[in-house]
Amino acid sequence: MYPRILVPVDGSDASVRALREAAALGRALGSALVLLHVVDTYQLLLAKATQAGFDEARGALLARGQALLQACGQQAGQSGVACDTVLREVMSSRVSAAIVDEATRQDCSLIVMGTHGRNGRTRLLLGSDAERVVHAALVPVLLVQQDRADGPAAG
């Protein structure tokens, strides 16, 4: 039904829970996972006054992303699910666009992603990558909300 499942991971409680759900689905359906971490360097570009400062911060973010993907890949492997990992860097587009694009590139038939459960004013102020993915994706999207025990949803 879903041979390849894209799972965006960012280290948040919500994405950890989404990875658990995706691994369970993958086990049950015989699906492979594609774990995606997107590094958004646009904000760094605005914040860092020098090229050296930007390069150092960018390198740290990419290294953190690679380490996160490795840890998530090990977790998926321990769950008995095959997975690939993808590290993407965006500077001029939204993270949500990179997620939708990667689902197409990787021939994924489902996206499973965490959401922090924000609503109302908080969502309007911060925007929601999950909401943008739902509206733009060409495949079904399963949103996994952060456990209330993991922390309160802002609202």
Side-chain angles (χ1 to χ4, degrees):
M1 178 178 258
Y2 300 114
R4 291 176 61 82
I5 300 171
L6 182 73
V7 187
V9 294
D10 63 8
S12 68
D13 291 337
S15 81
V16 169
R17 186 157 185 250
L19 176 56
R20 285 194 310 259
E21 292 292 327
L25 268 174
R27 248 189 339 274
L29 300 174
S31 307
L33 303 183
V34 177
L35 308 180
L36 169 67
H37 181 73
V38 180
V39 174
D40 183 359
T41 53
Y42 180 71
Q43 295 301 322
L44 279 181
L45 190 61
L46 297 176
K48 298 297 175 185
T50 66
Q51 182 67 43
F54 171 80
D55 290 342
E56 183 179 336
R58 177 181 172 265
L61 285 175
L62 291 170
R64 179 190 171 278
Q66 195 61 50
L68 176 65
L69 285 170
Q70 183 177 2
C72 290
Q74 287 175 349
Q75 181 181 343
Q78 290 170 353
S79 297
V81 180
C83 75
D84 294 319
T85 61
V86 178
L87 180 65
R88 288 270 307 257
E89 179 180 5
V90 296
M91 189 176 296
S92 61
S93 65
R94 293 187 175 274
V95 170
S96 56
I99 293 168
V100 171
D101 179 59
E102 202 61 42
T104 300
R105 283 183 187 201
Q106 296 291 328
D107 197 27
C108 294
S109 50
L110 176 68
I111 300 170
V112 176
M113 65 186 295
T115 180
H116 300 285
R118 293 186 182 105
N119 57 32
R121 288 176 292 162
T122 307
R123 188 181 75 222
L124 288 174
L125 291 173
L126 299 176
S128 168
D129 282 320
E131 185 175 353
R132 287 184 183 99
V133 169
V134 167
H135 289 292
L138 302 175
V139 298
V141 179
L142 173 62
L143 296 180
V144 179
Q145 190 169 9
Q146 169 178 307
D147 278 330
R148 296 287 188 231
D150 291 341

